[in-house]
């Protein structure tokens, strides 16, 4: 049975998952108070947060974190530096910031600690099983700083909470999408690499209106999950449903880059698998590699997850299928003029 009348402390409330999760907490009758810590200057009332006290600060500030978690029944850690994860600042936020949050939660005697990791924590390895279950060890991938950092934070979480009385829930969602999560659109290979295309090709594309943007497709399938469905799983853990542990999250169904191109109204061009392998290997060896280029590793092998455990233990039922999630993301990206 879920707990009632609880106080929840949240880091990273304004991120892709954070906003959806805050809405879920505000709607929950079992949650009486929420405290949230973020770097942005926001007005809780303008966000529709009626039972939330917002603290402006950083997870690197131990005093701010201690203030956040004091008296909280549940601590939910969402703060994570994504695009800057390869730099010193990103590593500091991800590792030192997480250490501050985990330590404060344990010292404060929080009943539950909920952390959002990623499918990337498993690592992009050729020997991964065809379908990843929660029993697969998160190894990360050194050439992909986001993947490496997610695996490192999971190890840190395990080390800091073993033998404590705090129940730990770790979620590994696949690519998070939806109207509040437009970063997925920004990671599409054409969008990121378009300004690096040869100028002659750019002139051709501009001069011939019938030509549409092109996405490389090597046939690898991938998953998406709607941010509202991630928020629903987080809320279930916050309320104490299911057993503590690790949970995969993904919407029903899979996509390929060809499916993505179809919904965008673009073209997909078959790319030999070897070409992706070579490009990713070259990118891994270059110094100061840009963060977006490292995602080439994600196209090398399938990263498909089994979500039966979340459905069984948490009674998690995603409201949005993978194609529905994709189309909602594209519609918002076009409304926001991120896409033409």
């Amino acid at each position: 049975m879920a707990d009632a009348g609880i106080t929840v402390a949240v880091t990273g409330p304004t991120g892709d998952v954070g906003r959806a999760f805050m809405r879920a907490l505000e709607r929950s009758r079992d949650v009486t108070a929420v405290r949230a810590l973020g770097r942005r200057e926001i007005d809780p009332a303008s966000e529709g947060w009626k039972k939330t006290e917002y603290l402006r600060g950083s997870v690197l500030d131990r005093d701010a974190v201690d203030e956040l978690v004091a008296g909280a029944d549940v601590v939910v850690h969402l703060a994570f530096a994504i695009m800057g994860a390869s730099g010193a600042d990103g590593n500091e936020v991800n590792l030192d910031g997480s250490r501050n949050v985990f330590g404060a939660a344990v010292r404060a005697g929080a009943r539950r600690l909920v952390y959002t990791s990623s499918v990337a924590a498993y690592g992009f390895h050729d020997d991964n099983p065809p379908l990843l279950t929660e029993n697969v060890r998160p190894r990360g991938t050194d050439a992909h700083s986001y993947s490496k950092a997610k695996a490192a934070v999971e190890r840190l979480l395990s080390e800091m909470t073993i033998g404590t009385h705090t129940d730990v829930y770790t979620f590994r969602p696949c690519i998070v999408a939806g109207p509040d999560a437009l970063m997925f659109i920004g990671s599409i290979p054409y969008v990121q690499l378009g300004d690096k295309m040869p100028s002659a090709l750019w002139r051709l594309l501009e001069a011939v209106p019938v030509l549409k943007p092109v996405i490389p497709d090597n046939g690898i399938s991938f998953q998406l999950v709607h941010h509202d469905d991630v928020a629903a799983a987080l809320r279930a853990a916050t309320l104490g449903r299911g057993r503590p542990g690790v949970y995969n999250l993904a919407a029903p169904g899979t996509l390929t880059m060809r499916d993505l191109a179809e919904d965008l109204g673009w073209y997909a061009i078959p790319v030999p698998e070897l070409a992706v392998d070579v490009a990713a290997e070259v990118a891994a060896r270059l110094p100061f590699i840009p963060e977006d280029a490292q995602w080439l590793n994600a196209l090398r092998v399938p990263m498909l997850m089994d979500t039966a455990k979340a459905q069984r233990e948490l009674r998690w039922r995603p409201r949005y299928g993978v194609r529905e999630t994709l189309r909602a993301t594209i519609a918002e990206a076009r409304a926001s003029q991120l896409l033409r």
Side-chain angles (χ1 to χ4, degrees):
M1 180 178 295
D3 290 345
I6 63 175
T7 296
V8 184
V10 182
T11 69
T14 61
D16 294 350
V17 173
R19 289 186 182 277
F21 180 55
M22 293 297 290
R23 291 194 296 267
L25 290 181
E26 287 285 337
R27 292 193 300 267
S28 176
R29 296 180 180 179
D30 298 314
V31 176
T32 54
V34 181
R35 289 203 297 275
L37 177 70
R39 288 186 169 187
R40 300 179 186 178
E41 184 174 353
I42 61 174
D43 175 19
S46 66
E47 298 287 336
W49 299 348
K50 297 181 179 180
K51 53 186 175 186
T52 297
E53 175 188 1
Y54 181 74
L55 307 175
R56 189 180 180 192
S58 169
V59 291
L60 294 174
D61 184 342
R62 289 191 59 177
D63 291 338
V65 173
D66 286 341
E67 179 183 356
L68 173 75
V69 306
D73 300 294
V74 184
V75 176
V76 182
H77 183 40
L78 305 177
F80 199 88
I82 298 177
M83 298 311 293
S86 60
D89 291 344
N91 283 328
E92 191 176 24
V93 169
N94 296 336
L95 295 177
D96 294 343
S98 296
R99 183 179 291 106
N100 286 343
V101 174
F102 300 156
V106 170
R107 290 193 302 273
R111 277 186 269 173
R112 286 182 289 281
L113 175 55
V114 182
Y115 171 60
T116 301
S117 184
S118 167
V119 61
Y122 287 114
F124 307 110
H125 304 293
D126 292 333
D127 61 349
N128 281 343
L131 199 60
L132 293 161
T133 69
E134 292 85 352
N135 292 327
V136 175
R137 182 172 62 88
R139 293 179 286 168
T141 295
D142 288 344
H144 191 300
S145 58
Y146 178 76
S147 170
K148 181 180 179 180
K150 282 296 187 181
V153 174
E154 284 201 34
R155 289 193 297 271
L156 178 67
L157 174 60
S158 177
E159 292 168 1
M160 296 188 67
T161 57
I162 190 168
T164 71
H165 297 291
T166 299
D167 290 335
V168 177
Y169 292 77
T170 299
F171 289 95
R172 293 177 187 152
C174 60
I175 300 170
V176 178
D180 287 346
L182 300 185
M183 186 173 294
F184 163 63
I185 293 296
S187 68
I188 297 173
Y190 171 81
V191 174
Q192 289 291 350
L193 303 178
D195 58 353
K196 303 179 181 70
M197 294 170 66
S199 58
L201 182 53
W202 259 119
R203 288 195 297 272
L204 177 62
L205 289 173
E206 293 294 332
V208 185
V210 72
L211 293 179
K212 302 174 184 178
V214 174
I215 294 177
D217 175 32
N218 68 341
I220 294 294
S221 296
F222 63 94
Q223 296 169 307
L224 297 179
V225 65
H226 198 287
H227 48 64
D228 286 353
D229 287 328
V230 177
L234 292 172
R235 180 178 59 188
T238 297
L239 299 179
R241 293 179 185 158
R243 290 179 294 181
V246 179
Y247 292 92
N248 292 336
L249 300 177
T254 61
L255 296 168
T256 65
M257 297 303 281
R258 181 170 295 278
D259 296 323
L260 175 60
E262 179 181 305
D263 280 359
L264 285 166
W266 294 1
Y267 290 127
I269 294 182
V271 174
E273 192 170 317
L274 178 61
V276 176
D277 289 345
V278 171
E281 187 66 26
V282 170
R285 295 175 183 275
L286 291 176
F288 311 113
I289 182 69
E291 188 76 17
D292 55 353
Q294 295 180 16
W295 283 97
L296 284 169
N297 284 280
L299 298 176
R300 299 177 69 173
V301 294
M303 295 289 288
L304 302 181
M305 296 188 297
D306 182 356
T307 63
K309 182 180 177 182
Q311 296 178 47
R312 182 179 64 252
E313 295 285 340
L314 302 177
R315 302 192 300 279
W316 182 64
R317 300 292 183 270
R319 292 174 52 196
Y320 301 92
V322 65
R323 207 67 183 254
E324 185 180 4
T325 299
L326 173 61
R327 290 170 178 168
T329 309
I330 292 172
E332 180 60 28
R334 290 211 160 108
S336 303
Q337 298 186 331
L338 179 61
L339 288 174
R340 289 180 288 182

